[in-house]
Amino acid sequence: MAQTKINGYSDQFAAAEELSKAKSRAKEFIKKFLKRRTAVVAFVFIILMIIMAIIAPYIVPYNAGQADYSNLLSGPGKGHIWGTDEYGRDIFSRLMVGTRTSLFSALTATVIGTAGGVLLGLLAGFFGGILDSLIMRFCDVMFAFPDILLAIAVVAIIGPGMINVMIAVAVFTVPSFARITRSATLSVKQELYIEVARSLGCTNSRLLFVHVLPGTIPSMIVNFTMRIGTAILAASSLSFLGFGANVTEPDWGAMLSQGRNYLNTAPHIVLFPGILILLTVLAFNLLGDGLRDTLDPKMN
């Protein structure tokens, strides 16, 4: 009984010590990250955009789909701070409501692509041999095509629509994560604790997802963040080309496509969606740079 109590106290002490170390690492990470002012500004901007995506339909001054034929192609002014389009719809309201579509599609596509790439990378790095060669040659073929051309090819095969756009963006996201995860897996599986776990009889699936996978996460964080920006740009490009959202929907790429016919008479229709896409993609890239510098011990 006494030995059981001692073991219980030892486990509690070990758990408390591990929790304390985790809190200390988190505080150190936050402290280092806050030194990257550009990344902090980008992070704040992204948070504001996420909040806008959630609450925009309830707070925008105008209905995003409501036409006002008395204010066709009017420039920025008191009533419409970013002007109106060819149907008199408020551009600011449409862009803010479209934030949900653009961010959701980009995030979903990146998560799907990341999951597929991580699984392939884990299998290739852990088992090696023929499986590794097959997966890496598949990635080499995918890398031979520019991302946007590969996405266009996928959409051309499976058809237009936002769901298919997300699938297309996810497809060209897979190879980069597969390579990064494979490289990290090759390094992690050489660690002593992996050999200990293997000697204790852990199955390959447990070794992969419980012991190896957590060790590969830091190397994927930066790429994941930057890939969201790439996904936003790709989804907007596909919508601009007519493969994504319908031109009547409040989508950033679709609004660009619709406004290109009025560049000479009403350039604000294209200006504001373009600026919003630019700032959002830039914010994700700057955040990724900041995370990379924070997580890389050589940069600290």
Side-chain angles (χ1 to χ4, degrees), residues 253-271:
M255 292 177 68
L256 274 177
S257 178
Q258 196 173 12
R260 61 183 170 174
N261 298 320
Y262 304 93
L263 277 173
N264 294 327
T265 56
H268 64 275
I269 300 180
V270 174
L271 177 64

Side-chain angles (χ1 to χ4, degrees), residues 4-228:
T4 303
K5 289 184 178 181
I6 291 174
N7 291 337
Y9 290 137
S10 298
D11 292 341
Q12 292 177 5
F13 178 77
E17 186 178 8
E18 192 63 31
L19 180 61
S20 176
K21 290 181 180 179
K23 289 181 178 179
S24 178
R25 288 193 295 266
K27 289 180 180 179
E28 186 67 19
F29 171 82
I30 294 173
K31 181 180 178 181
K32 292 177 180 178
F33 179 74
L34 291 177
K35 293 179 180 179
R36 274 75 184 180
R37 296 182 180 179
T38 306
V40 172
V41 172
F43 178 72
V44 171
F45 178 83
I46 291 170
I47 293 298
L48 291 177
M49 294 302 294
I50 293 174
I51 294 173
M52 182 59 66
I54 297 172
I55 67 175
Y58 311 105
I59 65 169
V60 290
Y62 297 93
N63 187 321
Q66 182 179 358
D68 181 5
Y69 296 104
S70 63
N71 280 306
L72 302 180
L73 300 175
S74 63
K78 186 176 181 180
H80 301 275
I81 59 173
W82 286 358
T84 61
D85 62 11
E86 70 273 27
Y87 296 107
R89 297 172 297 190
D90 184 64
I91 292 177
F92 174 79
S93 299
R94 288 176 61 77
L95 283 174
M96 293 302 102
V97 173
T99 303
R100 177 180 295 184
T101 301
S102 297
L103 290 185
F104 175 77
S105 60
L107 182 60
T108 302
T110 305
V111 169
I112 295 173
T114 301
V118 167
L119 180 59
L120 291 177
L122 282 173
L123 294 175
F126 188 80
F127 292 105
I130 297 177
L131 181 62
D132 181 21
S133 298
L134 289 174
I135 293 175
M136 288 302 100
R137 296 300 76 77
F138 166 75
C139 292
D140 289 340
V141 172
M142 301 270 290
F143 276 127
F145 298 92
D147 290 348
I148 188 64
L149 290 182
L150 183 59
I152 291 174
V154 173
V155 173
I157 294 172
I158 63 179
M162 282 308 298
I163 294 179
N164 290 344
V165 165
M166 287 188 281
I167 294 173
V169 175
V171 167
F172 74 68
T173 303
V174 169
S176 62
F177 279 98
R179 281 205 175 278
I180 291 172
T181 306
R182 173 184 178 272
S183 177
T185 301
L186 289 173
S187 176
V188 171
K189 77 173 187 177
Q190 303 298 327
E191 297 291 337
L192 180 61
Y193 70 89
I194 300 296
E195 295 300 325
V196 172
R198 193 191 302 273
S199 66
L200 291 175
C202 289
T203 61
N204 285 335
S205 59
R206 182 174 179 82
L207 286 172
L208 269 176
F209 298 107
V210 177
H211 299 289
V212 176
L213 178 59
T216 66
I217 290 176
S219 61
M220 294 185 295
I221 292 176
V222 175
N223 191 50
F224 179 83
T225 305
M226 290 185 171
R227 274 289 166 175
I228 296 176

Side-chain angles (χ1 to χ4, degrees), residues 236-278:
S236 298
S237 299
L238 290 172
S239 292
F240 177 83
L241 295 172
F243 294 113
N246 191 287
V247 294
T248 60
E249 297 178 7
D251 175 82
W252 295 350
M255 292 177 68
L256 274 177
S257 178
Q258 196 173 12
R260 61 183 170 174
N261 298 320
Y262 304 93
L263 277 173
N264 294 327
T265 56
H268 64 275
I269 300 180
V270 174
L271 177 64
F272 292 109
I275 290 176
L276 196 57
I277 293 172
L278 170 66

